[in-house]
Amino acid sequence: MILIDRFLSDEQDPKAVEKVLGKLNDMLTANEELIYMAVQKKPAVNLLPDCIAVSNKRLFYCEPGNFGITMNFKDISWKSIKEVSFKEEIFGSKFICVPLHGENIITEYIPKVQARKLYQAAYEQLENFKEQQRQADLEDRRSATSPVTVNTVATPEPVEEPQAFMPPATSFTPPAPVEEPEDETTLKLRKLKSLYDKHLITQDEYEAKKADILDSL
């Protein structure tokens, strides 16, 4: 069962979070966990807010229907996403998901603090997926370039005088050099520094996150 308190840290609407979590809990697959949830806050009437949830496998878009009686869920896996971004405006922020195919998915009126954390969580999961794909591609290339040695032994035809037989030389193709991937801690620190350089997180958030990463060693 998913605990609701961890998704209310940035003043998310408790009723909206409770309703969405109750549904998402039944939709999660094996080894899938929710990381963050942002709740729309419209400037006038905010009775039926949309929600966006980030898991380690996909993005969930949760939209109320039938005047709040039902919920419509859409999800998009990280392998189908090209990039994510957000744009701060007068009333909250826009969260933008750019899929590999089709139109951009734009959600407006996300509170600014939630939008920044939503972006950070989605960006980290997307980069983690891309890194896993890069590692898988490296393994495929490594397997494809592994040399195969075939020993061929020919039987000489009978002759009056015995002759020495020399087997043909086999060719050897050395595997292509593979760049050693960065360790996980260095990769996390580099991503965190990139977020700070882009002014997407404050210095305090940067230092705190950096300390958490180093403490986990």
Side-chain angles (χ1 to χ4, degrees):
M1 184 65 182
I2 304 175
L3 298 177
I4 186 174
D5 292 344
R6 56 178 292 212
F7 298 102
L8 301 176
S9 58
D10 298 309
E11 299 182 357
Q12 291 94 333
D13 184 332
K15 292 183 179 179
V17 171
E18 183 178 10
K19 180 179 290 186
V20 170
L21 283 181
K23 303 289 186 179
L24 288 181
N25 187 52
D26 297 328
M27 297 172 61
L28 297 180
T29 60
N31 301 319
E32 183 176 14
E33 62 174 340
L34 291 179
I35 298 169
Y36 191 77
M37 182 182 298
V39 181
Q40 192 180 54
K41 188 173 183 180
K42 300 174 184 177
V45 180
N46 196 51
L47 296 177
L48 302 173
D50 294 347
C51 299
I52 303 177
V54 177
S55 83
N56 57 326
K57 293 187 178 183
R58 48 187 164 165
L59 268 180
F60 289 95
Y61 287 87
C62 317
E63 302 173 353
N66 296 323
F67 302 101
I69 299 175
T70 61
M71 292 293 296
N72 300 319
F73 290 89
K74 300 176 184 177
D75 68 282
I76 179 169
S77 63
W78 297 118
K79 68 179 180 180
S80 301
I81 298 175
K82 180 179 180 181
E83 62 183 35
V84 292
S85 63
F86 74 100
K87 180 180 179 182
E88 292 190 356
E89 299 183 323
I90 296 176
F91 297 105
S93 300
K94 285 182 179 180
F95 180 76
I96 305 165
C97 172
V98 181
L100 293 175
H101 306 286
E103 298 181 354
N104 295 351
I105 305 171
I106 301 174
T107 305
E108 297 183 303
Y109 306 123
I110 300 296
K112 294 179 181 180
V113 173
Q114 294 182 38
R116 287 196 293 268
K117 293 188 177 181
L118 175 65
Y119 166 77
Q120 184 177 1
Y123 176 83
E124 288 181 353
Q125 294 306 312
L126 181 58
E127 288 300 304
N128 286 343
F129 173 78
K130 290 180 179 179
E131 180 61 25
Q132 292 174 5
Q133 289 297 103
R134 284 192 288 267
Q135 293 298 328
D137 291 341
L138 285 175
E139 289 298 327
D140 290 342
R141 288 200 293 270
R142 194 179 284 126
S143 299
T145 56
S146 297
V148 178
T149 303
V150 179
N151 293 323
T152 304
V153 179
T155 303
E157 295 182 1
V159 292
E160 294 182 359
E161 296 293 333
Q163 298 180 357
F165 173 74
M166 297 295 292
T170 58
S171 61
F172 177 81
T173 304
V178 178
E179 182 180 352
E180 190 68 22
E182 293 181 324
D183 62 83
E184 183 178 358
T185 300
T186 302
L187 186 61
K188 287 183 177 180
L189 290 173
R190 182 164 58 82
K191 292 175 183 176
L192 183 63
K193 185 61 165 59
S194 175
L195 291 174
Y196 175 68
D197 291 340
K198 295 177 181 178
H199 305 290
L200 297 176
I201 59 176
T202 65
Q203 184 175 359
D204 290 341
E205 290 174 325
Y206 168 74
E207 294 296 339
K209 186 68 174 180
K210 178 180 177 182
D212 290 342
I213 295 174
L214 294 177
D215 288 343
S216 65
L217 292 177

